[in-house]
Amino acid sequence: MEQALARVGPRLRELRRRRGATLAELSGATGISRSTLSRLETGQRRPTLELLLPLSRVHQVPLDELVGAPDVGDPRVRLKPRTVHGSTVVPLTRQPGPMQTYKTVIPASRATPDPRVHEGHEWLYVLAGRLRLVLGDHDLVLGPGEAAEFDTRVPHWFGSTGEGPVELLSIFGPQGRRMHVRARTRRDAVATDGPGRTG
């Protein structure tokens, strides 16, 4: 137990630095004072459940992982599929941070658009099948090897065309993060060999 608790401080410091957060920012997010956070990271303050729960939430790390940190040298990602709105979602990002990556398998039955909006930016890459993407006024179909990028504040929905399941990779990040791959319409794909902006 003492050895496990002794590892918590360095683990907390590593998580905070990996997120690029200051003690002041972490204090504002958790309600824990900067001095307490500093003493936790240096091992001068014994970690308690009351302190670890808000830190676990902010760092997006399960409490058991926070206390019993895995070996840093093991690069394998433990794939733990879950079902979300009928789709199978596999998180591919083990560490917390602003960018999160998922592999998703969408069934053929998920074919009725239901556009939503939320903060963030998303990238999609189709691995297999045909993905229908409704983005604002655009209604696109992407095949294997095609990618799309969009601001999630624009009404959007993606799913199957109804012809069969679709498998894709998705990367979700905070507002303002952008990549160079753009969604393109079928007309753009015929006209040029380069990606076109969707607006």
Side-chain angles (χ1 to χ4, degrees), residues 113-135:
D114 181 21
R116 304 290 178 87
V117 297
H118 53 86
E119 288 294 323
H121 214 83
E122 190 153 4
W123 299 267
L124 304 175
Y125 180 84
V126 181
L127 296 170
R130 288 164 58 80
L131 178 76
R132 183 182 177 190
L133 170 63
V134 176
L135 179 64

Side-chain angles (χ1 to χ4, degrees), residues 158-196:
F158 55 88
S160 170
T161 58
E163 303 167 350
V166 58
E167 185 175 335
L168 66 140
L169 293 177
S170 64
I171 304 175
F172 182 77
Q175 195 58 46
R177 293 292 185 95
R178 305 185 67 82
M179 291 179 69
H180 299 293
V181 178
R182 309 291 179 189
R184 60 180 180 176
T185 63
R186 281 170 288 186
R187 183 179 62 184
D188 291 335
V190 172
T192 68
D193 195 32

Side-chain angles (χ1 to χ4, degrees), residues 61-197:
V61 173
L63 189 61
D64 57 349
E65 183 178 331
L66 191 61
V67 176
D71 294 337
V72 177
D74 187 351
R76 293 172 296 178
V77 177
R78 268 61 175 187
L79 304 180
K80 295 181 180 178
R82 64 178 187 265
T83 301
V84 180
H85 302 302
S87 298
T88 301
V89 179
V90 183
L92 300 179
T93 311
R94 183 173 64 177
Q95 300 297 342
M99 308 292 288
Q100 296 295 317
T101 307
Y102 305 90
K103 178 180 178 181
T104 304
V105 179
I106 301 174
S109 58
R110 184 178 163 188
T112 302
D114 181 21
R116 304 290 178 87
V117 297
H118 53 86
E119 288 294 323
H121 214 83
E122 190 153 4
W123 299 267
L124 304 175
Y125 180 84
V126 181
L127 296 170
R130 288 164 58 80
L131 178 76
R132 183 182 177 190
L133 170 63
V134 176
L135 179 64
D137 295 330
H138 298 275
D139 194 337
L140 313 169
V141 174
L142 288 79
E146 291 192 291
E149 174 196 10
F150 54 90
D151 184 331
T152 56
R153 293 177 299 181
V154 177
H156 63 281
W157 171 90
F158 55 88
S160 170
T161 58
E163 303 167 350
V166 58
E167 185 175 335
L168 66 140
L169 293 177
S170 64
I171 304 175
F172 182 77
Q175 195 58 46
R177 293 292 185 95
R178 305 185 67 82
M179 291 179 69
H180 299 293
V181 178
R182 309 291 179 189
R184 60 180 180 176
T185 63
R186 281 170 288 186
R187 183 179 62 184
D188 291 335
V190 172
T192 68
D193 195 32
R197 295 194 63 166

Side-chain angles (χ1 to χ4, degrees), residues 1-6 8-9 12 36-52 55:
M1 178 64 72
E2 291 300 323
Q3 290 180 345
L5 291 177
V8 173
L12 288 172
T36 298
L37 291 171
S38 178
R39 283 183 289 148
L40 273 174
E41 290 188 0
T42 57
Q44 297 175 10
R45 174 70 183 263
R46 185 181 179 89
T48 64
L49 190 60
E50 183 181 6
L51 295 172
L52 293 179
L55 287 167

